[in-house]
Amino acid sequence: MLTVHSLENTIQTARGKMSADLVIRNAAVLNVFTERFENKDIFIKDGVIAAVRAGTAAMTSESRQAGGRSEIGSAGKISDIGQHLDRFAIGSDGNAGMTSESGQHGGRFAIGGAEEIDAEGKALVPGFIDGHMHLESSLVSPKQYCKAVVPHGTTAIIADPHEITNVLGEIGFQYIQEATRGLPLDIYLMVPSCVPATPFDESGAAITPEDIARMLAKPDVSGLAEMMDFPGVLGCDRGVLEKLAIAQNAGKIIDGHAPGLSGADLNAYIAAGVRSDHECSTAEEAMEKISLGQWIMIREGTACKNLLNLLPLFEKPWCDRCMLVTDDKHPGDLMREGHIDHIIRKAIAHGADPVCAYKMASFNACVYFGLSQNGAISPGRYADFVLLDDVGTVKIHSVYKRGKRIDHQIDACINALSGTNPYALQVCDTVHIPEITEESFALKKPQEKIIGLVPGEILTTDEGYASKIDVANDICKVAVIERHHNTGHMGIAFLKGYGLKKGAIATSVAHDSHNVIVAGASERDMAFAISQIRQMQGGMVVVADGTVKAGLALPIAGLMCDLDAESAEEQLTKAKAAAHELGVSTGIDPFMTLSFSSLAVIPRLRLTTKGVVEVGDSRAVLV
C-alpha cells in the first residue's frame, strides 16, 4: 500500500537526498522503452525503483558500437552479449560482488545505498510475467506453485481460476484469492467468463452475469477471463452478451479464446469487446487478429506448444502486440524446462531478437492489463527484476521481488506465512459418483464417434465411427462421468491416436467442467479406475487387470494437491510411465491430452457427459 511517507522516501532517494535501500551498479539494464541494453545504476527504496542513472563503469567501445537495438548485443548477436556478461566474476558465496565505496563513484550520484551490488558483466531485466495461466493446471497449491516458478524469474502471473470455479463456483474463486494472499509473487486474477464453458457441459456450479459483476469488483481482479463461448458471442446469446457488457462497463479487459476464427466472424468477436487470443496455431492467424486490434498470447505449455509456429511474431510490428504465456503446465515441465524463462530461451535459440523476447515476457503484459507498476526498470515501478549471467541462454543469477533477493530463500519465505484459508474445507470432498460397473459403458446406440488426437495439439479430428474397442487399430473407449451432483450422467465415445493397448487411465481433471474422464482398452478396468478416483476424492490413476499401477491424489477440488512440485512430479512421472507401459504413445502426455478431450470449445470433436460435441468455427452441436 502506497503511503505519503513511502512516496516521500522514494522522491528523496531519487533526488539523491536519502540513501537507497539497495543500489545495483553497472548492470546492463534492459530499457523496454528504448529497446536497448544500457549500462545503468538502479536505486531502490521501499521496494520501488527510485532512480535509474548512468552506470559508474565506462562501457567498452565494442559494447557502445554494437549497433542494432541493444547497446550490449543486438538482434542475432547473442555471443556478444554472453562475452560481455562473462567478464563478471562471481564471489565464492555465489552473490554478486559488493562494493564498499558507497557514494564514491565519480560524483555521479552522491548518496549510495545501505546495500550495494556491483553487477558489472550481468544483465538486469524486468521480472517475467505469465500473461495467461491456470494455477490448477500445475496440480499443486498456489504456494507450491510459487516455490516452483519464482526461482525461474517469474514475479507476476495473470491467473484464470476457471478450473476450480467450474467445480465450486464463487467459493472456488475465493479459495484461490485467499490461497494467493501474501505470496512473494504478484497474482492478478481474471473472473471466469464461461462457467459452465458451454451448454453441453455439466459443471459443479454456474457463474451468472450478476456473479461476474460482483467478482469484478474484488481486489486484484484484472478483467474477464477467456471468452471461450465464441459461438454464443456470434449467436448473440443474451447471457453471454450481458457478461461482455458488464465487463466493459466496469472498464475491465476481456480475454479471448477463438481458435481458427477469421473474417466476418472474427470481426464480430472483436467488435464484442474481446481484446486478446491465446489459441493461435499459425502466424497467419495471429497476424490477422493483431491487424484487427487484438493482442496475441504466444503459448508454450505442456499440452499446447505454439511457439515455433509463431516465431514470425517476434519481429516488428507484431512483437509489440504479443506476450508470452503457459496456459497449462504440469510440475515436471516447470522443473525440467522452467517457466517463462523457458519460452524466452527457446525463442532466442530459434533466432528471436532477445530484446523483443524479454519485452514480450514482461512489459507487454503490463501494457495490455494496465499494470502500471510492473514490467519495466524505471522510476516508480516495483523493484521486481532478474539478474542474468547470460542473456542468450537466460542463465539466471538471482531474482528480486520488491528489491529483496528471493530466489535463494523462497521456501523459507512461504513457510513463514501464517493464517488458514477459510475455504479450505469447502474445496474437499468434491467427487460424487454412483457405483460404476463395466456394463455402465455399454453403447446406447450401435456406433459412436471416434475422436482423433493430433500430436502436440489439443485440436482433434473426426475419425468416423466404431462399435467396439479395437486396440489393433489404436481405438480405445472413452467416457466422461458427471461427478459434481451424483447424477450418473455419462457420455461415451472412442479415441484414436492415444495408443492404449491395455488397462485404463482416469482423471478428475477434465476441462473445463472437470467431470471424470476415463479411457480404456477394457470396460472392467475403466470401472475400476473410476472407483479409485472416487476413493481418492479426485486425482489421476493408471490401472490394469484390476490393480493400480500408479496414481496421484488431487484432493483439492479434484484438481490440486498440497505436495511440493518435486513430490507431485515424482508421483506423476510414475503414473505417466505406467500409462506408456500400457501403450500410450510416447509423444502424448497421457493425462493432459485426455483432460482436453472433453473441452467442448476446441475443434473438432469433444466428449462431455451429454455425448459427443462437434465444434465448428461458429457453432457447436451434439452429434
Side-chain angles (χ1 to χ4, degrees), residues 517-530:
I517 187 168
V518 58
S522 155
E523 287 90 349
R524 180 172 297 179
D525 279 329
M526 291 172 73
F528 179 66
I530 294 297

Side-chain angles (χ1 to χ4, degrees), residues 1 40 90 197 324 355 369 376 443 486 519 581:
M1 175 68 73
K40 296 291 182 180
I90 300 177
L324 307 183
V355 171
F369 287 105
L443 299 186
N486 203 31
E581 287 175 6

Side-chain angles (χ1 to χ4, degrees), residues 90-347:
I90 300 177
S92 59
D93 62 353
N95 291 319
M98 302 285 291
T99 175
S100 59
E101 302 179 26
S102 176
Q104 305 297 318
H105 296 280
R108 285 179 181 270
F109 203 49
I111 302 295
E115 178 185 4
E116 297 204 11
I117 294 175
D118 187 346
E120 184 177 358
K122 295 196 179 301
L124 189 152
V125 298
F128 308 144
I129 299 173
D130 190 335
H132 173 76
M133 57 81 63
H134 307 285
L135 282 164
E136 306 94 316
S137 293
S138 70
L139 306 179
V140 296
S141 65
K143 68 179 181 181
Q144 300 296 347
Y145 177 85
C146 180
K147 288 181 182 181
V149 302
V150 167
H152 288 282
T154 302
T155 57
I157 60 173
I158 315 299
D160 171 11
H162 76 202
E163 322 294 359
I164 196 168
T165 306
N166 266 279
V167 177
L168 293 155
E170 195 168 350
I171 287 173
F173 186 90
Q174 291 169 325
Y175 169 82
I176 292 293
Q177 198 165 37
E178 288 295 327
T180 57
R181 202 177 302 282
L183 294 177
L185 175 70
D186 291 336
I187 300 178
Y188 301 96
L189 297 182
M190 301 290 283
V191 175
S193 64
C194 302
V195 179
T198 73
F200 310 110
D201 283 292
E202 289 185 282
S203 59
I207 297 297
T208 67
E210 292 74 23
D211 296 330
I212 285 174
R214 183 175 59 256
M215 294 163 75
L216 283 173
K218 293 178 180 291
D220 296 325
V221 170
S222 294
L224 189 64
E226 52 182 310
M227 177 46 72
M228 295 179 289
D229 190 5
F230 59 87
V233 175
L234 301 179
C236 293
D237 178 277
R238 183 171 181 81
V240 171
L241 298 190
E242 283 181 7
K243 294 173 183 179
L244 295 173
I246 286 169
Q248 291 185 72
N249 290 335
K252 298 291 187 177
I253 202 79
I254 301 172
D255 279 352
H257 173 121
L261 211 60
S262 182
D265 286 344
L266 177 60
N267 274 270
Y269 187 65
I270 297 173
V274 182
R275 295 291 174 250
S276 68
D277 188 87
H278 62 272
E279 292 291 340
C280 293
S281 56
T282 69
E284 292 74 21
E285 177 185 358
M287 289 174 180
E288 180 185 7
K289 290 176 177 177
I290 291 174
S291 71
L292 292 174
Q294 281 198 318
W295 285 73
I296 297 302
M297 299 173 172
I298 299 175
R299 174 176 58 186
E300 189 77 2
T302 292
C304 304
K305 303 178 186 296
N306 305 126
L307 174 63
L308 296 184
N309 287 340
L310 300 181
L311 279 173
L313 300 184
F314 284 79
E315 300 175 2
K316 293 285 188 179
W318 317 109
C319 62
D320 290 333
R321 300 284 290 185
C322 296
M323 65 197 88
L324 307 183
V325 308
T326 59
D327 199 359
D328 300 281
K329 195 156 189 178
H330 273 175
D333 291 330
L334 288 172
M335 293 170 60
R336 283 187 298 272
E337 300 174 342
H339 188 219
I340 297 300
D341 59 322
H342 166 67
I343 308 179
I344 303 169
R345 187 179 302 113
K346 188 172 180 178

Side-chain angles (χ1 to χ4, degrees), residues 319-457:
C319 62
D320 290 333
R321 300 284 290 185
C322 296
M323 65 197 88
L324 307 183
V325 308
T326 59
D327 199 359
D328 300 281
K329 195 156 189 178
H330 273 175
D333 291 330
L334 288 172
M335 293 170 60
R336 283 187 298 272
E337 300 174 342
H339 188 219
I340 297 300
D341 59 322
H342 166 67
I343 308 179
I344 303 169
R345 187 179 302 113
K346 188 172 180 178
I348 293 174
H350 284 84
D353 183 337
V355 171
C356 282
Y358 282 101
K359 187 174 176 180
M360 291 160 73
S362 53
F363 182 69
N364 285 8
C366 297
V367 174
Y368 173 68
F369 287 105
L371 305 177
S372 61
Q373 289 187 287
N374 301 76
I377 308 302
S378 66
R381 303 223 179 202
Y382 292 141
D384 298 349
F385 56 87
V386 183
L387 273 175
L388 299 170
D389 287 322
D390 187 82
V391 171
T393 60
V394 199
K395 185 179 179 183
I396 294 175
H397 173 271
S398 48
V399 182
Y400 286 76
K401 185 72 181 160
R402 302 296 193 270
K404 304 285 186 183
R405 184 174 177 182
I406 192 70
D407 57 294
H408 64 320
Q409 56 183 7
I410 187 68
D411 284 8
C413 226
I414 293 175
N415 292 340
L417 295 175
S418 59
T420 58
N421 192 320
Y423 302 97
L425 293 179
Q426 297 179 66
V427 300
C428 299
D429 189 25
T430 61
V431 178
H432 309 289
I433 296 175
E435 191 69 27
I436 300 294
T437 67
E438 59 182 300
E439 288 76 19
S440 303
F441 298 102
L443 299 186
K444 298 176 177 63
K445 50 189 178 182
Q447 298 184 108
E448 282 291 0
K449 276 287 188 180
I450 303 173
I451 301 170
L453 299 179
V454 179
E457 296 283 350

Side-chain angles (χ1 to χ4, degrees), residues 18-23 25 43-44 99 102-103 110-116:
M18 180 180 288
S19 294
D21 298 327
L22 173 67
V23 180
R25 302 270 187 195
F43 296 79
I44 297 161
T99 175
S102 176
I111 302 295
E115 178 185 4
E116 297 204 11

